[in-house]
Amino acid sequence: MSILYQLPIFLLVFVRLTCFFVTAPLWMERQIPAPFKWGTAFFISLLVVGLVEPEQVVQMDTSYLFLVLKEVLVGLCLGFFVNILLYAVQLAGSFIDLQSGFAMATMFNPQTGIQENLTGRFFYIVAMLFFLSIDGHHVLIKGVLASYDWIPIDSWLPSSVSENLVHLSLLIVKDMFWIAILIASPIVATIFLVDIALGILAKTVPQMNLFVVGIPIKMAVHFIVLFVFIPVFFIVMEKLVQIMIHSFEQMLKILGA
């Protein structure tokens, strides 16, 4: 095939992959250089463009601009809706820090440019390590490459895509809060029992200063339960990855023509 025939196809493939790597987990981090993101998309596009076979000849006319916008939407949706599930671990850390007294001890995260809770940041780092250990990044690359079978580059999005996307986004947000509560519930429940015990102790011994005794006790319980909870955290992460893959498949079905 001539280069002029392959060039429009290559540009469409490159746009989808670039938008995906900008919003997908791991690649979206600020410490990942931008040339690495679009460079990865460029070289993968070179490998994929020969496998993409549009039903009709793609020409650079007026409709080509709308195809580019469609590829931008597909790439951003595939990356963002998968990435939003990983925010569940940071949300769980916020719930825990709010109960244990670490909510005021935030740290600046240069990756996101905002202040984050300590436990939430710890959970996110462990989640990323777990994600890499199971080759989750390879699963995402295989998924975005499979999207060309579900969503051809020369086809348009179905008319019901907006309604289905809203419904799927609500389900993903619901799963995010459900997983966050599932992660945070053991530690939050334990610290709540400590609060009840301290309240009973304050009534029994009024001379005790709870601000001096209670905060160190809650901090110690926080770290002890967190250490015990780590194996359970990996079990929850397996469930999170399963939901992530299922959401990715649902996204392909919604965006597929």
Side-chain angles (χ1 to χ4, degrees):
M1 296 183 183
S2 63
I3 298 178
L4 294 178
Y5 176 81
Q6 291 283 4
L7 182 59
I9 302 175
F10 172 79
L11 292 178
L12 293 176
V13 173
F14 178 69
V15 168
R16 182 186 299 189
L17 290 178
T18 302
C19 294
F20 174 78
F21 286 127
V22 168
T23 56
L26 187 65
W27 289 283
M28 67 162 293
E29 305 293 345
R30 287 191 176 184
Q31 72 268 25
I32 305 296
F36 177 81
K37 298 177 183 178
W38 60 259
T40 303
F42 177 80
F43 287 107
I44 294 180
S45 300
L46 290 178
L47 300 175
V48 175
V49 66
L51 303 177
V52 177
E53 299 179 356
E55 296 180 359
Q56 54 188 357
V57 179
V58 180
Q59 299 179 354
M60 289 186 174
D61 50 10
T62 307
S63 61
Y64 187 79
L65 178 61
F66 294 98
L67 288 177
V68 172
L69 295 177
K70 186 261 295 184
E71 294 298 315
V72 171
L73 176 63
V74 171
L76 293 178
C77 288
L78 292 178
F80 175 76
F81 283 101
V82 171
N83 189 44
I84 196 174
L85 287 171
L86 285 177
Y87 291 140
V89 295
Q90 292 182 322
L91 183 61
S94 300
F95 291 156
I96 295 172
D97 287 343
L98 184 64
Q99 186 70 21
S100 61
F102 281 102
M104 297 296 293
T106 58
M107 61 179 295
F108 178 76
N109 184 5
Q111 299 174 3
T112 58
I114 60 175
Q115 299 285 341
E116 294 182 355
N117 297 102
L118 299 178
T119 308
R121 184 60 188 160
F122 172 74
F123 278 163
Y124 185 78
I125 294 175
V126 175
M128 283 290 98
L129 293 175
F130 177 81
F131 190 72
L132 291 173
S133 66
I134 62 173
D135 291 333
H137 53 301
H138 293 167
V139 175
L140 292 181
I141 293 177
K142 292 179 181 178
V144 71
L145 296 182
S147 67
Y148 292 101
D149 297 330
W150 290 82
I151 315 167
I153 59 174
D154 59 336
S155 65
W156 304 101
L157 297 179
S159 58
S160 61
V161 64
S162 59
E163 178 183 355
N164 293 331
L165 275 180
V166 172
H167 180 68
L168 180 62
S169 62
L170 292 177
L171 292 178
I172 292 177
V173 172
K174 181 202 69 174
D175 291 335
M176 180 188 69
F177 279 97
W178 175 73
I179 293 174
I181 294 175
L182 191 64
I183 295 174
S185 57
I187 302 177
V188 171
T190 304
I191 298 177
F192 179 71
L193 295 177
V194 173
D195 287 333
I196 295 177
L198 291 175
I200 297 175
L201 188 61
K203 288 294 184 180
T204 306
V205 187
Q207 297 82 5
M208 180 177 297
N209 191 345
L210 289 182
F211 289 99
V212 177
V213 179
I215 295 179
I217 292 177
K218 292 174 66 175
M219 293 174 60
V221 172
H222 171 270
F223 287 114
I224 293 173
V225 179
L226 182 63
F227 177 76
V228 176
F229 174 70
I230 288 297
V232 182
F233 177 77
F234 291 116
I235 298 177
V236 179
M237 280 302 303
E238 292 180 4
K239 181 66 176 179
L240 176 62
V241 173
Q242 293 176 2
I243 296 177
M244 185 184 300
I245 296 175
H246 177 72
S247 300
F248 199 95
E249 294 175 351
Q250 293 298 318
M251 182 67 59
L252 293 179
K253 294 178 180 180
I254 291 175
L255 296 177

